[in-house]
């Protein structure tokens, strides 16, 4: 139990609260760094080196969305957790170490099927540890944030992650390109593994520095019937789930297949891809605070709507991205990164708008899990479409068209549907203040 001021207005200025907010910012940054090491060009380079096909790489790259299903276990786990901090530290640390270990797989003298199984197992178990406690971590760490400033605080966290992430990706990308240039890509993998281990330790220390939390903010056990009534029986929140389905289907139909597209078809190096990502993150950095404040001033739904309009422009650009127009991938990257400044945190915070906070963990787990089912289904459908286009020599009706262009067009259609649903349904719902 922490020593804090008695007045509610003063409680968020207490030393433990300020330290916890700072530690949470640091933890999010270290976790973000590790997540970048198992995504996009880095993961594509690792999986290509192991010997996997483009379609399988796309599916594995989209495991992140399927892993959200693991949050369903949190609905039952939360009933038995008496020390949220301890549980979060254990599973988060396990996740970080598993992701780091992926880059040691190329050194294991086993067959391709065994390596494939190790990669898939490592990624799934890593995401299991991460997403099992994601909603618990979010509620626990955000209990030290003034509810009137959630959007602004979330934006601040992202800005720190982004600005430091730009330096991180530039260094790691340059190192990987250097190792590959001298014919020693595996040396680059060892570098990533070492960096991941250091980041895992930093993540562990940051979690230790977050205070345990006030008694009234601890996750309490509630009857499952109450969860069903207040979450799945809540029409306003069910609409939020449907919006999540549309958004996940739209983006995961395409994004998991862009890593190999950049490297193989657009002929970009890992370093070039990371420079483009840095530019995108820099743009996202400058809009994070304005978008966060816009969401606080209007609503989280309005923030999502604006962000998805920007995402629609991103996928519209990607429809025309090909080897001769490779530069359009820069426009796509910038616009998509900017859009995530308004979607990532708002899709978390919007739960507060329609569900009592005592059901936050369960509601978030249900929303993300259901959305993940459709997101992963989209990646499977996307893999079939990509394979079909590639099997026809990237030709449709006699025109040179790449599968990723087709997928981007379909993603655009789903995003437009999500924008309309947000504007005419979600935006008209009564928002809870809590």
């Amino acid at each position: 139990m922490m020593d804090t001021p008695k007045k509610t207005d003063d409680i968020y200025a207490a030393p433990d609260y300020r330290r916890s907010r700072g530690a949470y910012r640091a933890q999010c940054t270290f976790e973000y760094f590790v997540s970048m090491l198992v995504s996009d060009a880095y993961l594509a380079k690792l999986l290509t080196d192991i010997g996997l096909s483009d379609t399988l790489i796309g599916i594995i790259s989209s495991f992140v969305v399927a892993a959200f299903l693991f949050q369903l276990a949190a609905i039952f786990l939360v009933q038995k957790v008496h020390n949220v901090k301890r549980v979060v530290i254990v599973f988060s640390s396990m996740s970080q170490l598993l992701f780091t270990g992926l880059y040691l797989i190329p050194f294991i003298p086993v067959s391709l099927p065994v390596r494939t199984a190790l990669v898939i197992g490592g990624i799934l178990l890593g995401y299991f540890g991460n997403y099992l406690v994601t909603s618990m971590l979010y509620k626990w760490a955000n209990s030290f944030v003034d509810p009137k400033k959630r959007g602004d605080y979330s934006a601040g966290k992202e800005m720190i992650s982004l600005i430091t992430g730009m330096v991180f990706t530039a260094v790691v990308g340059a190192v990987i390109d250097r190792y590959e240039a001298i014919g020693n890509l595996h040396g680059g993998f060892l570098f990533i593994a070492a960096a991941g281990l250091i980041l895992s330790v930093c993540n562990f220390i940051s979690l230790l520095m977050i205070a345990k939390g006030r008694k009234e903010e601890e996750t309490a056990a509630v009857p499952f019937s109450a969860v069903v009534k207040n979450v799945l029986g809540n029409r306003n929140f069910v609409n939020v789930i449907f919006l999540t389905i549309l958004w996940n289907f739209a983006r995961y139909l395409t994004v998991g297949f862009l890593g190999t597209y950049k490297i193989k078809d657009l002929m970009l190096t890992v370093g070039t891809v990371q420079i483009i990502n840095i530019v995108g993150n820099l743009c996202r950095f400058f809009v994070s605070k304005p978008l966060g404040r816009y969401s606080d001033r209007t609503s989280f739904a309005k923030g999502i709507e604006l962000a998805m309009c920007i995402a629609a422009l991103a996928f519209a650009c990607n429809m025309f991205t090909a080897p001769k127009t490779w530069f359009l991938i820069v426009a796509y990257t910038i616009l998509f990164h900017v859009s995530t400044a308004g979607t990532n945190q708002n899709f978390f915070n919007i739960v507060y708008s329609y569900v009592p906070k005592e059901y936050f963990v369960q509601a978030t787990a249900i929303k993300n899990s259901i959305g993940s089912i459709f997101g992963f289904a989209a990646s499977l459908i996307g893999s079939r479409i990509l394979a079909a286009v590639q099997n026809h020599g990237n030709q449709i009706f006699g025109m040179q068209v790449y599968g990723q262009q087709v997928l981007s067009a379909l993603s655009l259609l789903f995003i437009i549907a999500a924008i309309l649903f947000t504007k005419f349904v979600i935006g008209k719902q009564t928002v809870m203040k809590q």
Side-chain angles (χ1 to χ4, degrees), residues 362-380:
Q362 296 91 337
T364 300
I366 291 172
K367 173 181 70 70
N368 291 342
S369 297
I370 293 176
S372 75
I373 294 173
F374 288 88
F376 189 61
S379 71
L380 295 177

Side-chain angles (χ1 to χ4, degrees), residues 291-313:
L291 283 178
R293 289 168 180 164
Y294 173 77
S295 298
D296 282 334
R297 188 175 66 253
T298 56
S299 68
F300 299 127
K302 286 288 186 182
I304 290 173
E305 181 184 339
L306 176 59
M308 289 195 297
C309 287
I310 299 172
L313 293 176

Side-chain angles (χ1 to χ4, degrees), residues 232-305:
L232 295 179
N234 182 335
R235 178 176 294 182
N236 287 348
F237 184 67
V238 169
N239 287 334
V240 172
I241 293 176
F242 184 69
L243 175 62
T244 304
I245 290 172
L246 287 174
W247 173 240
N248 277 5
F249 198 94
R251 58 190 178 131
Y252 287 108
L253 186 65
T254 301
V255 294
F257 305 97
L258 294 181
T260 53
Y261 188 54
K262 296 171 188 176
I263 294 173
K264 292 189 175 182
D265 297 298
L266 302 185
M267 301 296 290
L268 302 177
T269 66
V270 173
T272 301
V273 171
Q274 295 313 316
I275 290 174
I276 294 173
N277 286 337
I278 288 171
V279 173
N281 282 327
L282 186 61
C283 294
R284 176 179 171 182
F285 174 84
F286 286 114
V287 302
S288 287
K289 277 285 186 179
L291 283 178
R293 289 168 180 164
Y294 173 77
S295 298
D296 282 334
R297 188 175 66 253
T298 56
S299 68
F300 299 127
K302 286 288 186 182
I304 290 173
E305 181 184 339

Side-chain angles (χ1 to χ4, degrees), residues 107-135:
F107 300 94
I108 302 176
V110 292
S111 64
L112 176 59
V114 174
R115 286 186 179 180
T116 302
L118 288 174
V119 166
I120 293 176
I123 291 176
L124 286 177
L125 287 174
Y127 282 129
F128 172 77
N130 187 9
Y131 289 115
L132 180 66
V133 296
T134 289
S135 50

Side-chain angles (χ1 to χ4, degrees), residues 129-143:
N130 187 9
Y131 289 115
L132 180 66
V133 296
T134 289
S135 50
M136 283 186 277
L137 168 60
Y138 194 86
K139 182 184 178 184
W140 162 44
N142 272 278
S143 68

Side-chain angles (χ1 to χ4, degrees), residues 208-225:
L208 283 178
M209 292 179 65
I210 302 176
K212 184 178 179 181
R214 291 179 292 159
K215 183 177 180 180
E216 61 268 28
E217 292 291 352
E218 285 290 320
T219 303
V222 294
F224 186 74
S225 58

